[in-house]
Amino acid sequence: MPSLQAGDFRSHRAFAEADTDRFWLEEASRLAWFKAPTRAKDLSQEGVAAWFPDGELNTAWLCLDAHVAAGQGARTALIYDSPVTGQKAQWSFEALRDRVARVAGGLAGLGVEKGDRVVIYMPMVPEALIAMLACARLGAIHSVVFGGFAGRELAVRIDDAAPKVLLTASCGLEADRVIPYGPLVEEALALAARPPKHCVVLERPEAVMALQPGRDHSWTAFEAGAAPVDAVPLAATDPLYILYTSGTTGKPKGVVRDHGGHAVALAASMARVYDTGPGDVFWAASDVGWVVGHSYICYAPLLVGATTVLYEGKPVRTPDASAFWRVMAEYGVKTFFTAPTAFRAMRKEDPEAALRQGYDLSRLKRLMLAGERCDPPTLEWLQDRLAIPVIDHWWQTETGSPICALPAEASWVPKIGSSGVPMPGYELAVLNEAGEPQGPGISGQLALALPLPPGTLPTVWGDPARFSEAYLARFPGYYDTGDGGYIDEDGYVFVMGRTDDVINVAGHRLSTGEIEEAVAGHDAVAECAVVGASDPDRGEVPVGFVVIKDGVNQPPESLEPALLSHVRQALGAFVYFRRAVLVPRLPKTRSGKILRSVLRDLLEGRPPVVPSTIDDVRIVEEIAEALAKTAGSDA
Ligand code: COA
Ligand code: AMP
């Protein structure tokens, strides 16, 4: 009989395939449930699983109280390192539990109960993690909004989640400047149709935010004045959080994560992929606003009793390209996780990694990359400089943990360009347009057979129909990942990029539809198309092709900066919309569909593949000319 107690990765994967339910119940038995599940899953008509339906637990309790109860309360849970403020601090599991319990009490005092939503719009400060865990403790559903989003985007997410409370801070800090949150929050609250009744503001010394009596509360008083509360027992299927992610339309999708499946999947991944257990130091250099921040800054390290590092800084400019090496050495990081773009930035400033000298990296055992495809030169650069496995692995907001990775066992050797092999529970197929599985080496759409394993999204918040349409409708019986790629003869997976209108800018997932909506919001714009262009530093950057309304007299030289600044205001600077090409028309099919692939070809300098359905082929030449004219000014 197969078992998790014995065997290697291959036998675990075979176990998961042969007896899925028993495999996951065994994985689940590693956690301290309030009520252990007796059933692995219930299946919906569409084949979507609700995992561990009769189990009861609380993720925040597992992350904190469980370790205190096991006598490990004095161990370090959280290290905060902030080169942008010059602060460093640490909390033990017990100290963090006490702060979380008080903040949960404060939220309860504002009327937050199980099932209520709380939006968290905060920079990379310990209070962001405390806020997430406090919500989880109460059974409230948090929705963290990345601090780089502008007010309008915050408003869109507030309206979808309809939170009782907004937790925020007076500012965020970038390498070279302070970003006051006050104007962004006020704009969002003014735009929102369903604003929260209460805002709790973490007042940072770098910026003052005027508090509105009756609505706003100072974090310090809020936390100090609150009575601690215990963790609420929750059904495994109760939602833990909503995280909005870019889809193919302008409206972000609220990916829902449950308590039980999530905890089981994360704990399993820490052993199987990240080689991290109690007492190890784990650092994911991402942001709490993204899924990596949720899974691997906040929840997973704490679940397994490891120390998590929360770093408020950049890989470069805080103060230089030695920043990551310094943090790894200073805290004895064992497993490090970031997006390849961070290393591209470091490599650009320090091509030989000379700044690594003097830092003791002997405790670093594993370097994990995700968020975008790792370009082979960056991978090779790292492999040449670090005598440890450098592992590209693939996952998405929707899955919450890796779909593919390289198992932690030493016998698994990475292949350059591949993001490893499917993890137990993920049955990955390469499908052609007709939905037929393809053989080794043949490219197609990457799809996952249903049911998906624990930890994956059970639905889209408030919109089950969108969940079905966006993910399940295209290939019945499968979840469509939106990524294309192939599997080689040895079973290694090569993810080649999105096949939809999602682009990846410096590890940030963005929808071109969302950017198009923002561009179209400028008064001068008649219509526009946004596509991703390859970029040596950021992987991809958005480029707009914009048709200006008749009668607009503004000179083109001032229109482009106006459009760029408009998008920056509407969405946020991190979107990196730095090029808008003014064109007389957009290439379209006779039925009016914009031919984005033609725009992409022209941008990349490839001979465009022009379909016979184009309504007027002369437009291709016109756009090529417009691009040639602006190329000089970009250089
Ligand atoms: N709040 C406010 N503004 C933000 C922000 C935030 N949280 N994050 C980024 N910005 C702003 C930056 O200040 C910058 O503004 P500017 O145009 O005025 O200079 C702009 O958005 C672009 O930011 P960024 O892409 O971060 O560029 P950068 O040059 O500051 O840093 C990298 C480049 C590669 C170092 C950085 O993008 C990075 O670390 N990326 C990794 C991303 C990541 O962790 N992804 C998660 C998946 S693992
Ligand atoms: P996000 O939901 O922000 O995590 O972004 C998920 C998307 O990032 C995926 O659908 C992929 O397009 C891309 N991605 C993440 N990791 C990888 C990887 N290792 N290789 C290739 N693409 C990746």
Side-chain angles (χ1 to χ4, degrees), residues 431-615:
L431 304 179
N432 66 9
E433 283 297 320
E436 295 154 347
Q438 304 298 293
I442 301 176
S443 293
Q445 190 70 12
L446 295 171
L448 298 165
L450 295 175
L452 296 177
T456 53
L457 84 168
T459 189
V460 166
W461 179 253
D463 202 347
R466 189 161 183 215
F467 172 63
S468 304
E469 275 158 35
Y471 301 110
L472 310 182
R474 185 166 171 203
F475 302 116
Y478 289 94
Y479 161 92
D480 179 6
T481 66
D483 282 306
Y486 65 94
I487 307 177
D488 76 3
E489 296 74 14
D490 302 322
Y492 279 67
V493 178
F494 290 74
V495 181
M496 304 312 289
R498 298 290 301 196
T499 54
D500 53 14
D501 296 327
V502 168
I503 58 170
N504 223 302
V505 180
H508 305 306
R509 174 170 160 182
L510 294 163
S511 140
T512 52
E514 211 168 348
I515 307 172
E516 281 169 7
E517 262 187 31
V519 178
H522 189 282
D523 287 344
V525 174
E527 62 174 337
C528 71
V530 171
V531 297
S534 342
D535 181 86
D537 302 327
R538 290 182 151 70
E540 274 181 296
V541 289
V543 174
F545 291 85
V546 186
V547 181
I548 298 300
K549 281 180 187 158
D550 288 344
V552 172
N553 292 322
Q554 209 172 330
E557 317 77 77
S558 68
L559 261 174
E560 186 186 12
L563 291 172
L564 303 185
S565 136
H566 174 76
V567 172
R568 192 182 162 95
Q569 292 300 321
L571 296 180
F574 76 101
V575 170
Y576 218 75
F577 186 64
R578 304 246 170 139
R579 190 172 180 199
V581 185
L582 306 188
V583 293
R585 291 176 292 160
L586 294 174
K588 289 186 184 169
T589 61
R590 281 188 283 280
S591 61
K593 194 169 173 287
I594 297 172
L595 290 165
R596 285 161 217 280
S597 60
V598 170
L599 295 172
R600 269 192 297 266
D601 285 343
L602 288 168
L603 255 184
E604 304 288 346
R606 293 187 294 254
V609 179
V610 182
S612 57
T613 50
I614 193 163
D615 71 340

Side-chain angles (χ1 to χ4, degrees), residues 9 12 27 265-277 282 296 300 304 334-337 365-370 389-395 401-410 412 419-424 426:
F9 176 80
H12 289 183
E27 284 286 12
L266 290 190
S269 74
M270 287 309 262
R272 192 162 283 132
V273 177
Y274 299 104
D275 193 19
T276 298
F282 187 94
Y296 294 107
V304 299
K334 180 179 176 193
T335 302
F336 175 63
F337 181 162
K365 299 291 178 220
R366 224 166 153 73
L367 195 150
M368 311 295 305
L369 299 168
V390 179
I391 295 155
D392 182 11
H393 65 321
W394 170 54
W395 51 296
S401 68
I403 307 168
C404 284
L406 210 67
E409 292 153 23
W412 288 85
S419 43
V421 297
M423 291 293 104
Y426 282 106

